[in-house]
Amino acid sequence: MLLKKRSRVKNAWKLIIPAEFSSESYVIRTSPVVLGCSGHCDIVIKDPSVAESHIQFVLVSQGKFLEIYSLAGDSGEGPRTMLDGGAVEKTRIKAVGDKFFTLKAGNVHLRLMYAPVRDSSSVPSGRAAPRVPQVQWFFLHGGVEYGPMTESALARAFARKELLPLDDVWHSGLDRPMRAYEMPALLHDGSRLSKKKAEPWGKLRCPCCWHNFLIEDVMYISRHPDLTGDPVLGSEEPLRFLPRDLKPVRRALDSRGEVCSEMACPRCHLRIPTPFIDTVPLFLSIIGIPGSGKSYYLASATWRLRKILPRYFNISFEDIDNMTNQWLNAYEEALFFARDRDEYHVIEKTQIEASGLSRQVKINNITMLLPQPAIFTLVSKSHGGNDGDTPMPSGNMPLPVRTLAVYDNAGEHFQTGQDVIEKPGTLHMLHAHGFIFLFDPTADPRFGSVIDQGGRDGIAATVYQQQKIVIETMDRVRKYTGLNVTDKVKKPVVAGLSKFDLLQGYFAGKGIKWSDPPIKWIKRGEAAALDMSLVRMVSDHIREFFYELSPEYVNTIESFAHEVVYLPVSAIGHQPGTRGVNTGDVNPLWVEVPFLYILSRHGHIRSAGQDISNRGRSMSAGQDILNRGQSMSAGQDISSHDRKASPGQSLLNHGEIGSGKMLNHGDIESGKR
Amino acid sequence: MGTSGFTTVAHTEGMPVRYIALCESLSGYTYIYPLGHPKYHLNPVCYSHHRVDVNGTILSVISSVMPCGRDYTGRENKIAHHVVLESRDMVPCGPAWAMMHGSFFMENWNQPPSLLAPGRIKLPGTDVMKESHYAGTWNDEFGDAGTAGVLARWALEQPGIPSFKLYDPEKTSSILALAVESMVLLPPEKRWTTTFSTCFFSKPMDSDCLWRFCPVISRPGARPWHGEWVISPWKILRLYSRQEV
C-alpha cells in the first residue's frame, strides 16, 4: 500500500531554475532545503551574487505552506532575497495551484510554483522484497550484520524484534539497502504480535506531543554547528530535517554532510530516544491534586520497580537513555542516595513551567509547553513464555520489549481551566494505557478523624474535593476522544490512597497489618506473579473505607472506568517535616503495586489468582468478600486464604495467606539500586 | 501581574489574554537551595528583560521571580511579577535601571485574586538616572570595573550572540546592579534591545536572552545547574569574587 501511494502523481513545490545553472527544476520533497553556491547545499547555483547558503525552504503542514528564510542577510546595496518584488527575511506562502511566485536570490531569478509532479521517490518495484526463495537476505542491527538468511527467517527476526523497523535490510540484487518497514512481507507475515496487541508498525506516537506519525516521517537532528535555528524549537536549537539518504545504522546526513543519529518528532521537533521508536509504548497517567505527592510517588515507584521487576518478573526496567530521565533520576537521588541517614531532602513542588520537566515549542504559531516524560524500557530478560508463542496466565500475548512513559504534572495542571492549548501537558491521559489517581486523605477533612494522631500536626490545612480532579479527567478524555457520557474507559484504573502511612494506625486498630507487596513465587527464584487475590482483597477493604468517608469519590471514579482497584500507597512511609524528607527514614509502602497491577492487566507480568475483570461489579460496597475467589488458577491454593479473610483479620499479612510461596519481608528491601 | 500558589492572582484590568499567557510562560523558577535548606534565603531573585513579538508588536517584559515562603500545601512558593511595556513606555534609562530603581515589583501577595488599575506603575525617567559610567559593583565584586565594558561591547558588536556569566550566588548577590552598570554603557536606544536574566536556566521560546547570568553551585544539598548548556561558539565569562582572584 505504501508503494502504491508513493508512485502516484501529486502536488509539490517546484523551483524552476534558469537553464544556465540547472537543466531541470527542483522539487522540494523534504525539509529543510537550502539553496546556495556551496557544494554542500541541496540546490547549488554557482553565481557570484548567490551566498554560500542563501535561502532555506521549509515545508509546513505536509507542504500546504512553504516557509522561505533568507540566510544571506543584506549586501549593503539592498536585500539579497526578494519574493514577488519584495524583500524577504522570513515568509510563508500558501500552496495555490497554477500560481507562480518569483524569487530572486542575488541576481538569479527563480520561479516557484505548487504543481503536480511525479513522485520520483517511489520505490522501484525491484527494491521491494522479491519473493524469490533463493534470495539470501542480510540485515544490520546495532552495528552487527546478520545473514545470510531466507525471507521467512528475516520475518521471524522481525517478529522477535531482533530486526527493527528502521534497520537496514538488503540482498545482493539491491543497489542499496532498504529499511525493514519498507518490506510489506515483514509487516504482513512477520509481526503477528504487533497485529494482536500493539499499534501497527510504521505508526509512532510522540511521547511529548502525542502526535501520531509514520515512521518514514521521523526527523533527524542536525549536528553541524551552522545548522542551528529551528522553526519549532527556537533560534538556538539544532535544525531538524527529513533525511533523503539514510546511512546504515539509522544515520542520516544533514545538509552540511555531518552524520546524524538523533531523531525527533515531525510535529514538535523534540528529541525522541531511538529505543522508543523501536518499541511499542505504554503510557501511564498519574493524576492528583496539588500536594498529593505525585512526584514523590513517581520517584519511589520507579525506584522500587528497578528492583522488583528484574528480581521477580525477569524483566529489566531501565532508563531509556541517560538524557531523557534526568529529572526523575534527580528525584530518586534526593530520596535514595543520601550520604548519611540524617540528610534531609525535598522534591521541589512541580511547576508547569519547570525547565527540566517541560519544553517550549512553537506549533502553528502558538507557543506551548510540552511535557518531558520519563521513559523506561521493559525488556523480558528471557523470552520464556513471553516470546509471543505462549500466552501469559491472563491470556494476553505480551511483547518482549516495551517502553513505559510517565509524566510528572503539577497538580494545578489537572484543575479546571488549565486545559488550554498553550499547556497541553496533561493530554497523555488520552493515550494512557492505565490511570493512577492519587487521593490525598490530608486534603479531605472527613479523613481527619482516622489519621494518626502523630501525623496530624505536620499536615498543611488544605481542603479539596478530589472527585473534581476525576471529573476534570473525565471531561478531558470525553472531550478529546468523543467518548459518550455513558461510556466508561476500558483501561485499568487505580485509585491510590496516598500517604497511607498516616492511616496505618487506623487499620492496625481494625486488626489489619501492613506487610509485603502482593507478589508470590510461582517457582521460587525463577518466576513470580502478582497475587491478584490479595490485590482484590486489599482493594475491597480500601474501597469500603473510601465509601464510608468519601462516597462521592468512589461513585465518580467508578463512573469513569469499567475497572477500578483501590490500593494504599505511601511514597516515603512517613510525612516530611519542615526540613524535608529524612532520607534515613524513607520506607515506601506498596508504591510499585499500582504499576504492577497495570502491567499485569496488559499481560506484561504474570498474575495469579482470580482476575479482577472477571468479577464485573463485584466491588460494590457491603458485598461479602468471602464469597469471592472461587475460581483460582491451577496450582494456587488461594481459596484457603479466602476462607480466612474476613473483616477484622490481618488481610495484608502474607503469613496468614499460607500457600507457603509468599515472599518474606526481607526479600524486598528498600536499598540502593 | 503576579503568581502565587502557581496560578495567576492579579493582572491589570483589560490586559489581553495573550499577554497573560505570555507572562505565565515566563514565570518558571528554579530553586538552587530547596525549602528547609539553611541557605534557602540565598536563592537569587530572577530579574529579567525579554522582548517578545506579539502579533507584530514588539513588547518588552520586565520581570522579577523570587521565592516566597510556603504555599497553601506547605511547599515552596514563588511570586512572579511581570510588567509588559510597549514602545511608548520604554524610558531611556533602560530596563535594568528601571527595575533596580523603580521599586514596583511586589514581593508577596496575600489578597484574594483581583484586577489591578491600569497605569499604576510609572517607570523612572531619565531625570532620576545618574549617568555615572563607573562600574562600582563590578569593581567591588570582582575587582575589575572594566568587565562591565566587556559585556557592553559584546552587546554592541555581536548582538545576536548570547554570553553566559557564571556566578556563585553565595558570593554575589547584586547581579541586577551588574546588569545596570553594563547597560549604562550602552547608547540609550540599545538598552531596550538588550535582553538579560539574572538567574538564567533556559531561554524562553519567544525571546532572546543576550546576557545570561547563571548561578553555578555544587555544594551538598544544592541543586546542580542542569539547564541547557551549549558553550561553543558562545561566550562564557566566569565571575570570580574578589577573594578568589
Side-chain angles (χ1 to χ4, degrees):
Chain A
M1 186 177 289
L2 180 68
L3 302 180
K4 187 178 175 184
K5 185 181 173 186
R6 280 184 152 204
S7 62
R8 68 185 181 187
V9 173
K10 59 181 186 180
N11 283 337
W13 289 96
K14 188 192 286 188
L15 185 71
I16 299 163
I17 304 167
E20 62 262 40
F21 300 110
S22 175
S23 58
E24 56 186 23
S25 57
Y26 186 92
V27 179
I28 302 172
R29 298 178 196 280
T30 60
S31 185
V33 164
V34 176
L35 178 151
C37 69
S38 162
H40 292 300
C41 292
D42 307 287
I43 306 167
V44 181
I45 296 183
K46 294 285 184 189
D47 185 274
S49 67
V50 175
E52 194 171 318
S53 299
H54 198 111
I55 300 174
Q56 179 174 291
F57 301 97
V58 178
L59 294 170
V60 179
S61 302
Q62 282 87 43
K64 293 191 182 76
F65 297 90
L66 182 70
E67 287 185 344
I68 301 171
Y69 296 83
S70 174
L71 309 176
D74 198 308
S75 65
E77 299 168 358
R80 298 178 69 182
T81 308
M82 313 271 280
L83 180 73
D84 288 342
V88 173
E89 277 192 14
K90 172 195 170 183
T91 190
R92 176 185 284 198
I93 55 176
K94 188 177 179 183
V96 180
D98 300 329
K99 180 180 177 182
F100 278 100
F101 298 88
T102 57
L103 189 63
K104 192 176 169 194
N107 298 326
V108 179
H109 291 268
L110 306 153
R111 287 201 300 170
L112 196 57
M113 64 182 297
Y114 190 69
V117 293
R118 181 164 294 281
D119 188 354
S120 63
S121 71
S122 61
V123 181
S125 57
R127 275 191 65 204
R131 294 184 178 274
V132 181
Q134 293 79 13
V135 170
Q136 294 296 302
W137 286 86
F138 301 84
F139 72 87
L140 189 68
H141 172 74
V144 179
E145 186 177 306
Y146 296 87
M149 64 182 75
T150 62
E151 189 177 305
S152 58
L154 201 66
R156 283 198 298 276
F158 191 77
R160 289 195 298 268
K161 296 218 163 188
E162 295 160 3
L163 166 64
L164 298 173
L166 283 175
D167 285 336
D168 287 316
V169 295
W170 70 91
H171 63 72
S172 55
L174 295 178
D175 54 353
R176 62 173 182 159
M178 57 199 288
R179 286 195 279 181
Y181 73 82
E182 292 180 303
M183 287 184 65
L186 292 187
L187 297 180
H188 296 148
D189 305 333
S191 189
R192 180 165 51 87
L193 294 175
S194 63
K195 274 194 290 186
K196 186 170 178 70
K197 288 297 289 181
E199 296 175 41
W201 282 125
K203 277 276 189 179
L204 302 168
R205 191 174 298 285
C206 171
C208 302
C209 70
W210 306 288
H211 174 58
N212 218 1
F213 57 94
L214 291 170
I215 199 164
E216 58 199 347
D217 292 332
V218 169
M219 301 187 92
Y220 278 72
I221 303 174
S222 302
R223 289 185 66 216
H224 194 284
D226 285 354
L227 299 173
T228 52
D230 187 81
V232 175
L233 295 178
S235 57
E236 294 173 10
E237 274 289 322
L239 193 67
R240 273 57 173 165
F241 66 99
L242 271 172
R244 283 160 300 156
D245 291 315
L246 280 169
K247 295 289 175 192
V249 206
R250 300 174 197 172
R251 290 176 185 175
L253 293 182
D254 64 25
S255 64
R256 296 291 182 273
E258 290 300 321
V259 177
C260 310
S261 57
E262 296 275 24
M263 294 183 234
C265 166
R267 179 172 179 259
C268 69
H269 288 202
L270 291 173
R271 174 181 167 274
I272 302 177
T274 306
F276 189 85
I277 287 172
D278 290 334
T279 55
V280 182
L282 275 172
F283 294 102
L284 266 189
S285 290
I286 300 171
I287 300 166
I289 63 168
S292 56
K294 293 179 291 298
S295 303
Y296 283 97
Y297 172 72
L298 196 52
S300 203
T302 53
W303 181 257
R304 294 277 289 162
L305 288 170
R306 291 180 196 276
K307 293 179 70 71
I308 298 274
L309 284 173
R311 185 166 182 178
Y312 298 104
F313 299 98
N314 221 13
I315 294 172
S316 72
F317 183 75
E318 304 288 345
D319 294 327
I320 198 161
D321 56 34
N322 278 339
M323 189 185 293
T324 307
N325 294 5
Q326 278 183 350
W327 59 266
L328 187 55
N329 295 155
Y331 289 180
E332 291 175 328
E333 284 166 19
L335 295 183
F336 300 101
F337 268 74
R339 284 188 174 85
D340 60 61
R341 288 181 59 85
D342 293 329
E343 274 187 31
Y344 286 83
H345 288 294
V346 292
I347 294 178
E348 196 176 291
K349 175 177 163 63
T350 308
Q351 303 176 47
I352 293 175
E353 316 86 6
S355 59
L357 291 171
S358 61
R359 278 293 304 270
Q360 276 194 328
V361 301
K362 196 159 200 162
I363 299 173
N364 199 19
N365 208 29
I366 302 168
T367 302
M368 51 179 80
L369 277 166
L370 293 178
Q372 297 284 280
I375 306 176
F376 297 88
T377 53
L378 288 155
V379 182
S380 178
K381 291 203 286 189
S382 71
H383 293 180
N386 297 350
D387 59 358
D389 298 327
T390 310
M392 298 289 276
S394 62
N396 288 329
M397 303 287 282
L399 287 169
V401 184
R402 290 202 79 155
T403 41
L404 177 72
V406 290
Y407 304 82
D408 186 21
N409 292 102
E412 288 88 348
H413 220 153
F414 296 110
Q415 291 177 333
T416 306
Q418 289 292 335
D419 179 29
V420 292
I421 195 163
E422 293 89 353
K423 299 173 194 170
T426 60
L427 296 188
H428 48 78
M429 59 176 67
L430 309 183
H431 312 286
H433 293 80
F435 296 84
I436 300 172
F437 287 92
L438 290 184
F439 182 94
D440 182 357
T442 67
D444 189 329
R446 292 169 294 184
F447 285 70
S449 60
V450 294
I451 288 175
D452 294 353
Q453 187 64 45
R456 287 180 202 170
D457 301 335
I459 295 173
T462 59
V463 174
Y464 198 94
Q465 290 188 48
Q466 297 181 59
Q467 81 277 8
K468 285 184 176 178
I469 290 285
V470 184
I471 292 170
E472 181 66 23
T473 304
M474 286 160 60
D475 276 353
R476 293 185 194 181
V477 170
R478 284 175 180 152
K479 183 167 65 178
Y480 290 108
T481 62
L483 206 64
N484 196 289
V485 71
T486 55
D487 293 339
K488 293 184 180 182
V489 169
K490 293 175 181 171
K491 293 168 181 173
V493 172
V494 176
L497 182 53
S498 184
K499 304 176 183 175
F500 193 73
D501 52 283
L502 291 171
L503 303 167
Q504 276 184 289
Y506 170 80
F507 280 89
K510 288 185 170 288
I512 301 172
K513 288 194 296 183
W514 193 259
S515 189
D516 309 320
I519 302 169
K520 64 195 307 184
W521 287 112
I522 302 294
K523 190 174 180 185
R524 177 161 284 280
E526 291 184 16
L530 182 67
D531 185 348
M532 209 58 100
S533 294
L534 184 54
V535 169
R536 173 166 46 83
M537 274 192 294
V538 171
S539 172
D540 288 339
H541 270 261
I542 299 295
R543 185 187 183 282
E544 201 171 310
F545 175 70
F546 259 126
Y547 206 83
E548 196 176 309
L549 294 173
S550 181
E552 74 285 349
Y553 188 79
V554 176
N555 291 333
T556 306
I557 205 165
E558 289 182 359
S559 70
F560 172 61
H562 275 287
E563 181 189 332
V564 184
V565 295
Y566 299 83
L567 294 171
V569 294
S570 174
I572 52 176
H574 69 279
Q575 287 305 294
T578 52
R579 294 172 64 192
V581 175
N582 184 341
T583 51
D585 290 341
V586 172
N587 185 23
L589 299 171
W590 273 44
V591 285
E592 66 279 37
V593 181
F595 279 80
L596 295 177
Y597 171 72
I598 291 170
L599 289 174
S600 79
R601 298 300 305 135
H602 285 280
H604 299 308
I605 62 170
R606 290 171 189 265
S607 59
Q610 191 186 22
D611 192 334
I612 284 178
S613 63
N614 295 335
R615 299 186 304 124
R617 301 294 312 128
S618 62
M619 288 184 284
S620 59
Q623 208 167 338
D624 181 5
I625 63 166
L626 295 181
N627 293 335
R628 296 189 221 122
Q630 300 299 318
S631 58
M632 297 294 130
S633 58
Q636 300 300 314
D637 179 18
I638 299 179
S639 58
S640 60
H641 82 248
D642 279 335
R643 285 194 296 275
K644 284 183 180 181
S646 63
Q649 280 188 303
S650 176
L651 294 175
L652 307 185
N653 188 328
H654 285 183
E656 293 186 31
I657 310 176
S659 65
K661 292 177 180 177
M662 298 298 179
L663 299 170
N664 295 323
H665 196 81
D667 283 350
I668 305 169
E669 73 286 354
S670 57
K672 302 283 187 274
R673 196 181 339 176
Chain B
M1 193 199 80
T3 66
S4 171
F6 298 6
T7 188
T8 302
V9 292
H11 64 81
T12 303
E13 195 168 4
M15 190 180 206
V17 174
R18 192 152 186 185
Y19 289 11
I20 297 173
L22 164 70
C23 291
E24 286 185 348
S25 74
L26 298 173
S27 298
Y29 184 81
T30 301
Y31 297 84
I32 296 170
Y33 301 103
L35 195 64
H37 193 283
K39 293 177 180 170
Y40 173 76
H41 63 284
L42 292 178
N43 277 309
V45 179
C46 182
Y47 293 103
S48 63
H49 169 230
H50 292 112
R51 279 166 62 81
V52 187
D53 183 343
V54 178
N55 295 336
T57 305
I58 301 291
L59 302 172
S60 269
V61 185
I62 53 176
S63 314
S64 95
V65 189
M66 66 180 89
C68 188
R70 293 178 187 270
D71 76 348
Y72 64 103
T73 62
R75 295 175 296 168
E76 56 267 73
N77 201 2
K78 64 179 178 182
I79 181 163
H81 189 174
H82 308 278
V83 180
V84 182
L85 303 165
E86 294 178 357
S87 55
R88 62 173 181 272
D89 305 318
M90 297 173 190
V91 291
C93 60
W97 179 279
M99 277 190 268
M100 189 154 179
H101 297 281
S103 303
F104 47 77
F105 285 131
M106 295 184 192
E107 296 182 0
N108 53 59
W109 181 269
N110 297 314
Q111 304 161 48
S114 48
L115 294 173
L116 305 171
R120 196 175 51 87
I121 291 175
K122 301 286 183 208
L123 298 188
T126 324
D127 53 332
V128 295
M129 184 182 166
K130 307 278 187 295
E131 284 276 2
S132 165
H133 289 189
Y134 174 63
T137 312
W138 282 99
N139 186 57
D140 294 345
E141 294 277 357
F142 308 111
D144 182 8
T147 317
V150 174
L151 264 63
R153 197 186 72 221
W154 284 352
L156 284 174
E157 293 178 354
Q158 293 176 301
I161 300 182
S163 58
F164 292 86
K165 277 70 70 175
L166 315 182
Y167 69 94
D168 184 341
E170 289 184 22
K171 295 174 180 164
T172 308
S173 58
S174 46
I175 299 299
L176 182 59
L178 300 177
V180 169
E181 289 177 358
S182 290
M183 200 168 274
V184 160
L185 301 176
L186 295 172
E189 69 274 13
K190 293 284 184 188
R191 291 172 188 157
W192 284 98
T193 60
T194 302
T195 51
F196 69 91
S197 169
T198 62
C199 189
F200 179 85
F201 277 88
S202 63
K203 187 185 93 62
M205 179 75 203
D206 294 314
S207 172
D208 284 334
C209 186
L210 190 62
W211 292 344
R212 303 174 181 190
F213 293 91
C214 307
V216 179
I217 192 157
S218 56
R219 287 172 174 75
R223 293 211 168 78
W225 198 80
H226 54 80
E228 294 158 46
W229 192 241
V230 184
I231 292 179
S232 175
W234 297 338
K235 304 178 179 74
I236 308 287
L237 188 65
R238 182 173 286 278
L239 304 178
Y240 294 99
S241 69
R242 217 183 165 94
Q243 295 82 355
E244 287 173 303
V245 172

